[in-house]
Structure formats: structure tokens, C-alpha cells
Amino acid sequence: MTGTFERTQTLREWLTDNEPSSRTQARFGRAYLSWRSLSRNPLAMLGLIVVVGLILVAIFADQLATQSPFIGGDLRTERLQPPSAEHWLGTDSQARDIYSRLVHGSRLTLMIVVLVTVIAMPVGLLIGTVAGYAGGWLDSVLMRITDIFLAFPRLILALAFVAALGPGIENAIIAIAITAWPPYARIARAETLTIRNSDFIAAVRLQGASTPRIIARHIMPLCLPSVIVRVTLDMAGIILTAAGLGFLGLGAQPPMPEWGAMIASGRQYIIDYWWVATMPGIAIFVVSLGFNLLGDGLRDVLDPKAAR
Amino acid sequence: MKEQAPLLEVENLNVRFHLRTGTVEAVRGVSFSLGRERLGIVGESGSGKSQTGRAILGLTPPPGEITADRLTFDGIDLLSIPRRQLRNLRGGRMTMVMQDPKYSLNPVMTIGDQMIEAYRAHKRASRKEAREKALEMLEAVQMRNPGRVFSLYPHEASGGMGQRAMIAMMLVTDPDFLIADEPTSALDVTVQQEVLRILDRLVAERGMGLIFVSHDLRLVSSFCDRVLVMYGGKVMEELASGDLESAHHPYTRGLMNCLPALEGSAHPLPTLRRDPAWTE
Amino acid sequence: MIDIRDLSVVFGSGNLRVEAVKGLSLQVAEGESFGLVGESGSGKSTVLRAICGLAPVSGGTIAIGEKPVSVPRKRDFFATVQMVFQDPYGSLHPRQTVDQILSEPLAIHRMDNRDKRIVRTLTDVGLGPTFRFRFPHQLSGGQRQRVAIARALILDPSVILLDEPTSALDASVQAEILNLLELLRKEHNLTYILVSHDLAVVAHLCDRMLVMRNGTMVEETDTEHLRAGEAKTAYTRALMKATEGFTRAEPATRTELQ
């Protein structure tokens, strides 16, 4: 292919070229195809919009919030106001603007989601692939540990950890992460079992690759998609667990605008001042649904077994 | 065979798959007729040979679309009859033996129960009659111990045994017409011979029409009376199997020459040069 | 070059004990192409897997180039002995480009000049550099098998074990791959052990061969004897007959039909 011809190629042709001429082109081409099939799924796109929206709100919280999330107005006149032009979603018992608190709370939600993913996913992936590939006693030991974690309901286990570590948002995140990895380990192990005896793994072994290399470079990339899908689907649960801990007073501490804690503080006014608890509830619902829809869409794109 | 209306008539059969990426024409304008004889359809992967067989039985998977100027079985128009009637016909008067019995038999039912069910779905018969018929059929496929095979689950049967059981099951309803799609490709070569011999005898004894779909030109031409050679969804050539040596289409010749022969073959082997004009 | 004496391979124990190979011996000279023929369950593929350490050796010795193989195999063993698998759809990592697949052995063995080696090997197997950045799903079966051969070839081994390299391919593609294998053997002075169920394929590529059944050897013969019809055992004769296609036991049935 000559230089001039390449320049006249459109971006789309470059991406869908069946004969990529560089590593980058091959990688982008693959990403483009995944994106194309994801973008054909309207529900997944809706989920993606919600998730991107959450990220944007978290980034621009300072600009988007109309008032301070921590300091309320006059406690005598501005407590528990219904939604109005001034307070779009009303005010809470401390006369704080609920909309501004929700906007700032998105940062906490996003932080929980990201930190839990960063901690739980690699742990689950590593334990699952090692157990699946090694087999034997190592597999038994690792999987029994996984089973023990799986045997407890997540919130109860997280509660126990928070009780041991002390309340606070950091400890809540650690507790959730500790309870979140076992399903990923199981998925990664199941996936590993189906690929460990395949010819392409035998071929790498015959090239003299060490076990860590085989696991890290050949098995993990194949387990990653299904784990990512599971993580996105789990996000809703993670947000709810965090909210649950917040609701019980074991997660974020006042005056942090954590959505679960906001519901908890609105609980006592739920009959007369419904918006105090409802608004953060809606936020949790929308974000959870967004992650769920995105996860479902990603499964269709990333999981070769579910596709076609 | 005397002058007789053909059992199966196919004229200008087309199978298309409308996919997101565009329309794939799997079968393009295939025409042939079949009496009570053995017809082979040979081709490489993607030639449309299997899709031709499936289309005749109405087994084209969605989103496939079948069109034909004529597709009749014993005078019945297969394209216009209701689906229920087609289902009755299929498995009753026309059936199919597939490549791997492991995937075409129900794993949680014994071979015998499946045969009884197949028989009673198409014939009015008591369980006892059906059982007798099934045992008789298992004997006809030369099972040494029909009673034992009758109560086996598919996974308990070896490859050759499973395929013979499959043939027995497909023939239990006394069909007039059978499509065998690579019936022996999953079997060892020595077992292959045995299974083919059984199939051959049954087809001959019952005067059935048989379409034998395979990639193996040698096997098909030694088994069948006539051979259709397919490539890219089209019929390249129709030959009497005895005339294979005098085939004139370059594709057929290429297919024959590229097989290594035990008696010695050219080094390097002649390879097939595909001419885009063949598929136009 | 390859000296196998009294090899036996046993899987499992107790009730599940399976003797896949029983007391097999074979010698292959350098630059020779040796065939292992048999049907499924004959243990022919297990012999290959035992040589390269994918199956356990429970008895006997395996020596490559006068040296007994180590357990587990060392890295330099894999630079000498490589294998090509039967199913080109299962032997390539589905999410790696041809480039990644071929870079991996070079990275493991810390070879230099990787770009040059990859392009040269791709050209050797008749693919050319345009195939370098494709994924396996963008290739046909024959092209995939060529990539698998390139992967085996890139470390410049002297022995290549071929496990039914053409049985998953169409006849016309099989011819191309057989020609390629023959050419590569001449150009690189390779030693082959070819496993196949098809006697004709083995006879085409190999001079000497071993017929196996149920884990034991049935007979050792060579292509000349086979062509002269001098098979010693009935089993080998049955295999030979099968390569000719279908033969009717009683020709009578055919006349009855007409």
C-alpha cells in the first residue's frame, strides 16, 4: 500500500481494514468493532450514558452544585423545604440543598466503585486463574477460601469487617472489596478450566513459557472480559452495599454527602417530607440501573460464547 | 429402475442468509432430481453442500431464506405445505443422519426409548409393537446384542455403535428418502467401512432414495451412483460415479488430483487453482 | 536424532488407569520423516505429547540428539523440538494477532532481530508480511495452519512433531500444507514425526512408518513395501483398503438395486 493511498483512506476504512499494517491499527480495529456492536444496543448505550454522566458529574461537581453540600441555610426557615426553583430537589433536615449534596455524593459513589474494582478484580482474577491453572491442592485450598467468603451474605460480611476495622468510608470500601472478589475468582477459575487444556496453551508451554507467564499473558486476557462483565453487573450491588453501610451509619460519616447516609437521615421524615429520602434513592437506582444495562451490553460484546 | 416419477425434484434452489454484514448466498441455483438411487453431493467447506440437504428437509436455520422454482418430494410441494405437515413428513418419510451421533441423540434418554418415541410419533402403534420394531432395526444395523444397545444411553455407545444406532433410529419409520450428512466423518476408517456397508445394504433393500453429503470425493464416488460436485454454492458438474476419471470440470479434476494416493503421487502435489469465473 | 526405547505412558491410577502407550520403540534419523499411523485411541498422538513433555512418561527412555530428555523439559529442548497441532482453530490464541503469536517464542527465548525473524518466517510459510497484524478470525483454516507452522518454525528447531496437521482441512488445502511441509523440511533440514490416521498422507510425506493400535505397535514398514502391497498384518491391509474409498462386500447388492 502506498503512502498516498493510505492518506485517502477514511478513518472507518482504516479501522475495518482486514489487513492491518501495524499493531496499533489491529488494536484500534478490534476496539472499533466492539464499539460498533455495543452501539447497536440501545439499552447498553443508555447504561453507558448514565455511567459517563456519573463520571462527568463527579468531575464537575464544584461547577454543577448550586450551594455548599456541607453548610446549610437558615435552620429556622430553610429546613425540609420541598423542591423549588431555589432548591431544585428540596432541602434536608440541616437545611442543606439536596441537589448539591447529590452532585457531590457522586464523587463518593464513583470512588467506592473505582476502588472496589481496583482492589477486588485483580485479586479475584489472580486467585481464580492460579487455582484453575495449577489444579491439585492449591486449587482446593484457594477455592475453599473462596467458598467461605461466598457463604456469607455480602452485607453481613461487610458489616463484620467494618465492625472490626471501625466505621468510615475507607474501611467500608475495604470491607466491600474483601467481600466482592470471590465471584470473580469463581468465574476466572471456570474460564481457566476451559482453556487450560486447549492446544494454544499447550503450544505456549512447548515454547518454554513459564507458568506465571502463561497465566499472565495467555490465560488472564481471556478471563478478563467475563470478569469485567461480572464487575459491571456487580456495580449496582456494590453501590447498594455501600449505601446500606452508610444507611446503618457504618460507612461514610456525617456530614459526608454519601447517598446511603442521606437516605438514612431522611428516614425519620419519610412520611411528611418524602423528597429527603427519595431523591438519593432515585440517584442510587438510576446509577445502579445504568451499570446493569452497560454490563449486559458488554457481555454481548465481550463474551464470545454469548455472542451470535 | 423403470420410468417412474422422481422421488425428489429440485429446481433452482437458493438459500440465502441475511446477516448484519450483508447477504450470504449459501446455495445458488441448484437443480437435480433423485429417484430411488444414491446421489452424492461433494464439496469443500463453504460449498453449500450441507445447506442444500438442510434446505430440502426445511432445516435451514434462521435467518436463512429458501427459494426454489420447484422443490417437491413425491409430488408434495415442500415449500408451500404447512409446517406441521412438513414436520410429519420429516422424520417419517424423509430423514437425516448427521455427522456426530453425540450431538444428534438426546443424552438423557436411552437409545431404545428414543427409537420408540420416533416410531410412535409417526406410526400408530403400541409401545410393544414399537419396541419390537426398534429391536428389529437394531438387529438390521448389525448390533451384536440389540437388547443391550436398546437400553444404553448415547454416551455409553462407541462412535461406530452410536452412528449405527443413529441410522437404526432414522430408518425405524421406514422412510423413502434419507439424507446422510458426513455420516462417517467422525469415525475411524475401519469402522467407516462397516457403517457404510450397513447403510448401503439398508438403502438397497428398502429401495430408498439417498443423498450422501461429504467432502470426500473418493468415498462418495465409490458409494454413490451419481455425484454432484459443488463449489461456492453452485453445482460445478454432475457425473455418473464411474465417469469420475473423465470429469472435465477443472474443479473436479483439481479435487481428485490434490489427494495423495497410496500408490504414489506427484511431489509436490498438484494444488487446486480456483477460478473466480466458476462462481459467477 | 530421535531414539525412543520401550516407551510407556499411563494416565490415572486404580480403576481409571489407562495404558495409552505400551512398550513402544522407534528410531528416527536426522533429516528423516517418520510416520505414526493409527486410529483414534491408538496412542499415536500420546507418543508425540510424551516426547515434548505434555504427557507423563511412565517407562522407557526418550533421547533427542543422543541426549536423554530432562524432566521437566528445559528451555533449550523447546528450541530443538516443536509441534504443530491438529486443529488450527484451537491452536491459535483467539485474542492475539499473528504478530503476538510469533513474538511470544522469541520473547521467551530472548532472541534478537524479532521483526526480521517474524517477517522471514511468515514469508517462509507462504503468508507474507501482510498477514502479520491479523487476528486468527480473519484467517482461513489453511492460513491458520500456516501460522501454526510458522510458530513452530520461528525458533529454528531441528525436529517438528506434526499431530494430524491436515485432517481438519479441506482436501485442496491439505495438498498445499503437505507441499509446504515437504518444502520446509528440505530447506531447513528438519526431522519430522508425522501422526495421521490417513495412510495415504503418511505415505506421501514419510519414508518409514509405524502402524499403531491400542497403544502398541502393529508393524513397522516403509512406503516402498506398502506400495508393493507387502503389508504384514491384516490391520495394515484394512487401513490400506480404506484409503481407496468404499468397497462393497458383496457386489450382488448393486445389481439387485438396478
Side-chain angles (χ1 to χ4, degrees), chain B residues 123-162:
Chain B
K123 300 266 155 100
R124 210 168 284 166
S126 69
R127 262 194 89 80
K128 194 159 160 275
E129 278 172 317
R131 191 188 149 85
E132 270 162 23
K133 178 77 187 170
L135 284 171
E136 188 186 304
M137 228 25 251
L138 285 173
E139 218 175 309
V141 294
Q142 295 175 11
M143 293 289 190
R144 249 168 266 149
N145 190 346
R148 198 178 75 86
V149 179
F150 188 86
S151 53
L152 285 184
Y153 285 93
H155 67 91
E156 296 172 310
S158 69
M161 203 196 258

Side-chain angles (χ1 to χ4, degrees), chain B residues 10 64 79 109 118 159 167 175 199 222 225 227 237 255:
Chain B
V10 181
L79 286 177
M109 257 171 100
I167 291 172
L199 190 63
S222 53
D225 308 309
V227 181
E237 191 167 25
L255 263 192

Side-chain angles (χ1 to χ4, degrees), chain A residues 191-215:
Chain A
E191 201 91 342
T192 307
L193 287 181
T194 61
I195 41 186
R196 64 178 280 200
N197 289 327
S198 62
D199 281 351
F200 62 86
I201 295 298
V204 213
R205 281 174 69 189
L206 289 191
Q207 285 152 11
S210 60
T211 304
R213 190 184 181 98
I214 294 173
I215 291 177

Side-chain angles (χ1 to χ4, degrees), chain B residues 50-64:
Chain B
S50 291
Q51 289 304 338
T52 304
R54 278 156 196 263
I56 293 168
L57 291 186
L59 289 173
T60 303

Side-chain angles (χ1 to χ4, degrees), chain A residues 150-180:
Chain A
L150 272 175
F152 292 97
R154 174 179 288 180
L155 188 62
I156 306 288
L157 195 59
L159 264 178
F161 277 110
V162 174
L165 297 166
I169 187 79
E170 300 84 7
N171 289 344
I173 289 169
I174 293 170
I176 295 170
I178 289 172
T179 57

Side-chain angles (χ1 to χ4, degrees), chain B residues 1 36-38 43-46 49 188-193 196-197 200-201 203-205 207-208 215 218-219 222-225 241 255 258-272 274, chain C residues 38-41 44 167 169-176 178-179 182 186 197-201 203-205 213 223 226-227 235 238-250 253-254 256-258:
Chain B
M1 214 167 9
R36 296 189 179 270
E37 58 176 335
R38 282 164 291 205
E44 299 188 289
S45 50
K49 57 183 193 300
D188 279 331
V189 279
T190 47
V191 183
Q192 198 171 346
Q193 295 280 322
L196 283 179
R197 240 168 246 146
D200 182 55
R201 192 170 48 77
V203 167
E205 275 171 6
M208 290 163 54
H215 67 282
R218 255 182 227 166
L219 193 67
S222 53
F223 187 81
C224 296
D225 308 309
S241 48
L255 263 192
C258 70
L259 284 170
L262 198 56
E263 308 82 60
S265 31
H267 288 259
L269 286 165
T271 50
L272 189 62
R274 288 152 211 274
Chain C
E39 300 184 293
S40 56
K44 57 189 194 305
S167 64
L169 305 173
D170 275 328
S172 60
V173 183
Q174 162 171 292
E176 290 165 17
L178 289 178
N179 289 344
E182 197 164 31
K186 276 188 203 129
H197 67 278
D198 189 339
L199 208 52
V201 167
H204 180 78
L205 218 57
R213 191 180 193 185
T223 310
L226 272 190
R227 290 203 176 129
Y235 183 66
L239 285 181
M240 287 172 68
K241 192 128 192 165
T243 63
E244 290 159 17
F246 176 66
T247 39
R248 283 191 171 73
E250 313 113 326
T253 48
R254 201 178 168 83
E256 271 166 30
L257 184 81
Q258 284 159 351

Side-chain angles (χ1 to χ4, degrees), chain C:
Chain C
M1 188 68 199
I2 304 167
D3 189 350
I4 298 177
R5 286 180 199 274
D6 212 21
L7 174 74
S8 56
V9 178
V10 178
F11 293 110
S13 58
N15 280 341
L16 296 170
R17 192 183 143 94
V18 180
E19 280 188 83
V21 179
K22 297 167 223 167
L24 184 99
S25 300
L26 62 89
Q27 282 78 39
V28 185
E30 191 174 347
E32 197 187 3
S33 174
F34 188 85
L36 275 178
V37 195
E39 300 184 293
S40 56
S42 65
K44 57 189 194 305
S45 294
T46 312
V47 174
L48 291 197
R49 298 180 87 87
I51 294 175
C52 53
L54 292 175
V57 175
S58 1
T61 55
I62 301 173
I64 304 283
E66 316 274 288
K67 277 185 304 196
V69 295
S70 61
V71 183
R73 307 286 183 277
K74 299 237 169 58
R75 198 186 288 160
D76 57 341
F77 171 86
F78 298 118
T80 318
V81 182
Q82 277 295 318
M83 183 155 159
V84 174
F85 295 86
Q86 170 177 9
D87 176 15
Y89 290 85
S91 70
L92 302 181
H93 195 288
R95 296 205 176 227
Q96 290 182 346
T97 58
V98 173
D99 178 61
Q100 283 171 293
I101 291 168
L102 296 182
S103 304
E104 188 68 5
L106 296 176
I108 293 167
H109 291 262
R110 303 200 178 88
M111 307 271 244
D112 51 356
N113 270 334
R114 292 191 195 165
D115 280 327
K116 239 174 83 189
R117 282 177 203 267
I118 289 173
V119 171
R120 198 186 55 208
T121 313
L122 277 177
T123 315
D124 277 353
V125 297
L127 284 177
T130 52
F131 285 86
R132 185 169 165 191
F133 298 101
R134 295 202 201 174
F135 285 98
H137 66 85
Q138 294 169 317
L139 304 173
S140 70
Q143 289 166 344
R144 283 164 186 242
Q145 199 59 306
R146 283 171 194 264
V147 172
I149 293 171
R151 173 177 58 193
L153 209 59
I154 200 158
L155 292 173
D156 248 328
S158 41
V159 177
I160 295 191
L161 309 174
L162 303 158
D163 188 2
E164 302 252 19
T166 60
S167 64
L169 305 173
D170 275 328
S172 60
V173 183
Q174 162 171 292
E176 290 165 17
I177 297 292
L178 289 178
N179 289 344
L180 173 69
L181 289 172
E182 197 164 31
L183 183 76
L184 289 174
R185 186 163 75 92
K186 276 188 203 129
E187 280 178 357
H188 296 255
N189 191 29
L190 297 166
T191 308
Y192 282 166
I193 297 187
L194 171 72
V195 156
S196 178
H197 67 278
D198 189 339
L199 208 52
V201 167
V202 173
H204 180 78
L205 218 57
C206 307
D207 308 317
R208 290 195 306 129
M209 67 204 68
L210 193 70
V211 181
M212 287 183 71
R213 191 180 193 185
N214 297 332
T216 52
M217 78 177 242
V218 173
E219 76 173 281
E220 192 175 340
T221 179
D222 56 43
T223 310
E224 266 173 55
H225 278 89
L226 272 190
R227 290 203 176 129
E230 292 169 22
K232 280 171 248 161
T233 57
Y235 183 66
T236 311
R237 280 194 291 274
L239 285 181
M240 287 172 68
K241 192 128 192 165
T243 63
E244 290 159 17
F246 176 66
T247 39
R248 283 191 171 73
E250 313 113 326
T253 48
R254 201 178 168 83
T255 44
E256 271 166 30
L257 184 81
Q258 284 159 351

